[in-house]
Amino acid sequence: MGRAAASASLTPCVRAVEAGDAGDVAQLLQVMGYPCSRDEARERIAHCRDDHPNQHLLLAELEGIACGLAALQLDYSLTRGADVARITALVVSPACQRQGIGRLLL
């Protein structure tokens, strides 16, 4: 995550967070102002995955380096008659901002 800004020609990818991403998740949470250790992040990832099936964690990567994180909660909306997503966290590392990564996570 500590890499300099990437070239605009590179395409970021978004995937589901895995337990092995705990270090990257901890760093991205710290960018948001929420101090978190790797072990705490590992516990939080497991909690979301095991106890909250409607909670989804997404990690954006650029050349295999984590550069963004989104967390969303799916809930049924009475007014819409369908599930809707509520974004509970969204962050892009400072070195990778203004490259469309936040938009891609959304």
Side-chain angles (χ1 to χ4, degrees):
M1 191 178 88
R3 189 182 258 190
S7 165
S9 66
L10 299 175
T11 303
C13 71
V14 174
R15 63 172 177 80
V17 168
E18 300 170 1
D21 297 321
D24 293 326
V25 169
Q27 287 180 353
L28 288 163
L29 288 174
Q30 288 179 25
V31 169
M32 290 180 67
Y34 296 97
C36 181
S37 71
R38 178 187 303 248
D39 290 338
E40 289 170 329
R42 186 176 297 116
E43 289 175 18
R44 293 176 190 185
I45 292 167
H47 183 75
C48 288
R49 185 184 59 236
D50 298 339
D51 297 337
H52 297 278
N54 288 340
Q55 176 86 25
H56 299 275
L57 305 175
L58 303 173
L59 189 71
E61 294 179 323
L62 198 53
E63 290 191 308
I65 306 296
C67 59
L69 174 71
L72 57 104
Q73 177 73 36
L74 291 179
D75 287 312
Y76 180 78
S77 169
L78 179 64
T79 58
R80 299 197 183 264
D83 284 341
V84 294
R86 182 175 62 123
I87 299 164
T88 59
L90 178 64
V91 63
V92 175
S93 65
C96 296
Q97 291 178 356
R98 305 205 48 87
Q99 297 182 44
I101 294 167
R103 183 174 312 219
L104 185 62
L105 283 164
L106 289 176

